[in-house]
Amino acid sequence: MPAPFHPTRAFQAYQLFAANTNVGKTVFATGLCRAAALLGKEKNRNVFYLKPVQTGYPADSDERHVKTYNSSTIRTQTLYTYPDPVSPHIATNSPPEDAEVMQRTKQWMLDSLKGAQDKSGSFFFLETAGGIHSPVMSGTPQADFYRPLRLPSILVGDGNLGGISTTMTSYESLMLRGYDIPAVLLFDKEYRNHELLQRRLKVDVTAVPPPPAYIEDPVHEQASMKKYYEQLDEYLYPVMKRLDQKHEQRFDRLEQMADKSREVFWWPFTQHETVKDVTVIDSAYNDYFLTYAKNENKELEPKEMFDSCASWWTQGLGHGNPDLALTAAHAAGRYGHVMFPEATNEPALALAEKVLEKDTWASRVFVSDNGSTAMEVALKMAMSATGRRYGWAHKAPIEILGIDGSYHGDTIGAMDACSANVYNEQVQWYQPRGHWLTPPSVHITKGQAHVRVPAQVLQQSHGTTVNYDSVATIYSVDKQGENRDPELASIYKDYIRSQLKMLRDQKRHIGAVLMEPVLMGAGGMIFVDPLFQRVLVDTIRQESADLLGYSSADKAGWQGLPVVFDEVFAGWYRLGRQSASDFLGVKPDIAAYAKTLTGGLLPLALTVTKEPIFDIFLSKNKPDCLLHGHSYTAHPMGCAVAKRSIELLDEFAASETEHWAPFRKEWQQQQEESVWSMWSPDVVRQLSFSDRVESVMTLGSVLAVELKDEANKGYGSTASQSIVQSMRRNVFTENGSEATINLFARPLGNIIYLMTSQISTPERVRQCERILLQCIQSSSN
Amino acid sequence: MPAPFHPTRAFQAYQLFAANTNVGKTVFATGLCRAAALLGKEKNRNVFYLKPVQTGYPADSDERHVKTYNSSTIRTQTLYTYPDPVSPHIATNSPPEDAEVMQRTKQWMLDSLKGAQDKSGSFFFLETAGGIHSPVMSGTPQADFYRPLRLPSILVGDGNLGGISTTMTSYESLMLRGYDIPAVLLFDKEYRNHELLQRRLKVDVTAVPPPPAYIEDPVHEQASMKKYYEQLDEYLYPVMKRLDQKHEQRFDRLEQMADKSREVFWWPFTQHETVKDVTVIDSAYNDYFLTYAKNENKELEPKEMFDSCASWWTQGLGHGNPDLALTAAHAAGRYGHVMFPEATNEPALALAEKVLEKDTWASRVFVSDNGSTAMEVALKMAMSATGRRYGWAHKAPIEILGIDGSYHGDTIGAMDACSANVYNEQVQWYQPRGHWLTPPSVHITKGQAHVRVPAQVLQQSHGTTVNYDSVATIYSVDKQGENRDPELASIYKDYIRSQLKMLRDQKRHIGAVLMEPVLMGAGGMIFVDPLFQRVLVDTIRQESADLLGYSSADKAGWQGLPVVFDEVFAGWYRLGRQSASDFLGVKPDIAAYAKTLTGGLLPLALTVTKEPIFDIFLSKNKPDCLLHGHSYTAHPMGCAVAKRSIELLDEFAASETEHWAPFRKEWQQQQEESVWSMWSPDVVRQLSFSDRVESVMTLGSVLAVELKDEANKGYGSTASQSIVQSMRRNVFTENGSEATINLFARPLGNIIYLMTSQISTPERVRQCERILLQCIQSSSN
């Protein structure tokens, strides 16, 4: 798959969409090719015309019409033809797959480009068939089918009665799919549709005289049309000039964006002093960013990059998802944002009900904006609950019990719930308020699945590793570790008890237990041994009040301490199961969700909990309530999108043949029945044998590769940076041709992680794996 | 304006929209009326048909067609007729205003309802003209024009070639405006459009045989059509049954929503124990919520409520704004969310540039999710800047200098920046980290504008008031108060100096000065004397380093301490000027924006600052960077909407005849040239004389009424609750008829505040004023 079928400064490409069938698309395509040829003479450029799908052929041939009224220098092509003059989806009983049609379309664009290197550039026009949502052969609406190209779209409007409406609705449907629409063209009929359209649409609208009446005699018809097109040149040459100007302006802007962005942005978590490349993301689709970067000749080149950091772990249902965009737009149109306290709206209620249908342990949903605020809410809930149950003085110095290496967000309260690390120790008001246990972790090294048990846990001077026959065994967790490893479970319990006793001796007030179940993300993609977390939860519930010396007659609803699961990263199928708590076989008392909750589209976070915790805040006194609330709490757009995302993920999870089924099947073949990943077991094994790699681990869409890093600088390490840079920049060869795909990954100390969306296909993930392997292997040499 | 033209359980209403002109809308309307009449017989209901606009009349009359093929019991009406068979916007040279057409439409619905009380209910059908975006007489697209009614919309699809596209695009445009679409109906022609449509659309699609060919002879034609409609009944009666079921389900749901919401939500800042009514917001438009509440007969009644808390101060461009919805949808379709650190995208860059174009004092934009996170970012910026400039030890106990009564958000870091109050003192980890000055405040009492100066400021045992000839004088602020009141400025300066000296004596590390310029919102709608804030900023810049005893050779870019303006509430024209800092005549070093930044649609927040503060974070060492970043940082939807909102607000501000001009004019007539409000000066004056009112104050869209509250319990007060309840619940009479509008306001201790959106019209605001006056006056009695 070689390079750019996306526009460049020299390769000016458009597609023609129409508001309806039979409104003049081919006439405008013919006229624009002529206008482009005129401009092409000045600018030494070729003109190309492509009709991917033609029905009613050969009686109808838009390509033939275009050729007839253009000079012979224009290069034209039709790819698929069908004799019936009907919609392509009923014109054939054996429709080609979308991927094949797209591949042939791209290939013709590429071949044309190669054949056009005698000139300084080219104008390319792609003519669609029928209206914008008229389907291709598979039934996919064209506006969706052509979206991966996202060519600037010239909308041919409808000059007939009713045409204002069809033009405006087509415009809106194209906008909803993220197309740019540089021009609307239509025939100037008696209804003067263009006048109102120009008032309503934020785009150039040009009306031209309609073609003359059809003449039966072909010679006369041709002469009449030839004259018409000469007249049309007067209208369309200026249109083409404006399109050309807009195109140049677009590339001027793209050229400046990196530098301008350096000047005005203060990027999050970014040391500006060391930023090398600024990735200019022109658009995104599915798993891919379309980016533009300057090559060695300082020319902008398009590059597709796989979003392999899942846009900071948010990506769920793919970039530019039209279903989510329409869901969001409907909520915006029905409500905008509406007041939430003491009020209700359908998207918010439906989302809460949907989540509680899943989280049967919970009964209450609190809504905020991001993982950090969701965790601050969880902290406020948990600490009030504990303080009130154990009758602590209002200003008792309540702390939390956590796991070392955890990360709960960037607001100061969420930071305070984490042990000191490079994220927070620079922050003036950061003040660690808790005690953190050292976690054992899961790894695969040289094909061997094992748990790394640190010295602290063993209460000895050295750590150890415990091998297991498979990753699946490690995740077969139950009470006391009976199925997996009762001996290790007992070691864990001893460690936890000793820590709780120590806290008792220090007379500390522990208000909650916090953990990221299964996977600690920002702390370094640490797969915590699920047995450890299970034993921790069990011990907290059974013994912590006694061990800590807290007593209360009230034991309703939660035991010992409230258990808070921070599932901001791991929730909603990120690890292959709906909730990361499923791996532990226990449920929390409070859980926080965000990130992929909204399918990767917009911010929304939930804190869910159960009635006994909620009840603690009930009183006749207003200030006893939970004093937290952001202005956009439960904004309908976010709630509607989150609910839709959950519905779709449930469908994915239920499918036995599609979506995640092929991935699951591959892991089942490796006897890994209870765990699965989008990353193939073979590649995981292969990576685990690399001499550059310390260990590997994967679940769901997450792959973490721990690099050997002798200095062992953790987050401060730069070990992964060169590999990440090469994934972003290198040109990859596959089967002798250059791959156009790069990986947009982010370094995390000595960890390289890749993360897909939840709609990634095996083909796309396998390509990422090959690139990753190449980059790691070449870095080893 | 009496009550409901909105659907009720007994009043089942639909509008028919079509994918194009001439696709059978009238045939389906006729058939649905027949089906409704059949069902109406069973359910004892009337059938109504309304055609608001008919062109080509009398040759064409859809109403006549409907009557011809329906029984005489159906009641029908056409409101506006024009002889030319063209679009209504060119059928007349003297188009009626939209408001008038809507009023007549509503009136006919109301009159019909009154006339229908012999039956148990009714089916109502409104037939639009042409396609969904075909305009009404003014040129407004119908889909926008009818949006305030938001009737469930039956989409008549297009069975012709190309009709898949026009049907789908029309569906999407209706969705984008928040319509519910319970059914798609179309003719079953050779193209089998319905099959693909049923696969693509999440709605019932029903195809019916097309009508027979037209017969010239009217008697035969009528017989032929009569037979056709009898055949059609077989198709449309089941459709009508399903519509009826959906309608009943919708009202079942609406009836349950309040109780279900009580069960599953944990509302923000809400004492659940004391919640009286749950406001069920079915949809929202412009300034209004459409709510449903049970009347004394336990029947659901629709009620329009003016969103007079501006949905927690977020409302900018109105609920259900189609421009913002399309802007959001385009960003969603083009990107979804994309990775931001070290990357860029057009909406984010364009927003940053737009903001910096306004905030010429600033050069850097940091993006987060809400006001609270924006302020945490501001704190991190400011405290690092100060700590590094003055060479403080890394863990020096840095504090801030603030104003008592301020509020900066609900995350713990933002809370710590506020003095103790009922919001934060219940929160376990809250720890006030600063010193707060006591502010003088602006009020109007008995028509007299004055500043209330507290005892602390005077450094005496009693406070005082200083009268001014107008509010405008109070806001004529300049250096040393020269124009306004040099003596008071000098008193302020003495107070501030003495406080700084005290802090020096206590050897405290003050890292920043924080304030909400002009208006402290959540703290009680306190209009802080702008002269005080101006003197504070000047003093901090000129003297604070000396007075506090901090020294540094570096004085680049900011003086003394970084000045942080929290404009989360007051920014972006909330108070009538683009920035609240405009009232003080000074600029901050750091500013935070959120709330109305996105026009009231979705969460997004900015922290802007200048280069010398940014530069402090530059180093070769990654952890020296600003360690803050939420997953959805700079999400394209939010950025695109914010930019569009700013563009529109700038247009509003620039207009000398429309938008805010009438409000400004009213204030200018009162010699209040430099300040203006959407609340009329007369009503403000009138309120200020009420014996129930301590003082009043207003700027921009905010009106704050301080009630007399002898217990003086501030936020804990319940003084305003009964007034707020009566605004929400009471029935108001105007000119002898009952008003359908209530006000959705929120109490804030002994303050009642009302806040409009930025698109509120004088008519709407005046109506709110009348209701407010009624409620306050009746509470005084």
Side-chain angles (χ1 to χ4, degrees), chain A residues 133 165 172-173 177 261-262 265 319 337 344 364 369-370 376 380 394 410 412 425 595 629 631-632, chain B residues 165 172-173 177 261-262 265 319 337 344 364 369-370 376 380 394 410 412 425 595 629 631-632:
Chain A
H133 276 324
S165 185
E172 290 178 350
S173 288
R177 278 162 187 78
S261 298
R262 275 182 199 276
F265 288 145
H319 294 285
H337 172 57
T344 184
R364 289 280 165 185
D369 295 334
N370 55 50
E376 293 227 358
K380 288 180 182 178
H394 175 54
D410 302 333
I412 287 162
E425 66 183 7
K595 292 195 191 288
S631 310
Y632 285 93
Chain B
S165 185
E172 290 178 350
S173 288
R177 280 163 185 77
S261 298
R262 274 182 198 276
F265 288 144
H319 294 285
H337 171 57
T344 185
R364 290 279 164 185
D369 295 334
N370 55 50
E376 293 228 359
K380 289 180 182 180
H394 173 55
D410 302 333
I412 288 162
E425 67 183 5
K595 292 196 191 288
S631 309
Y632 285 93

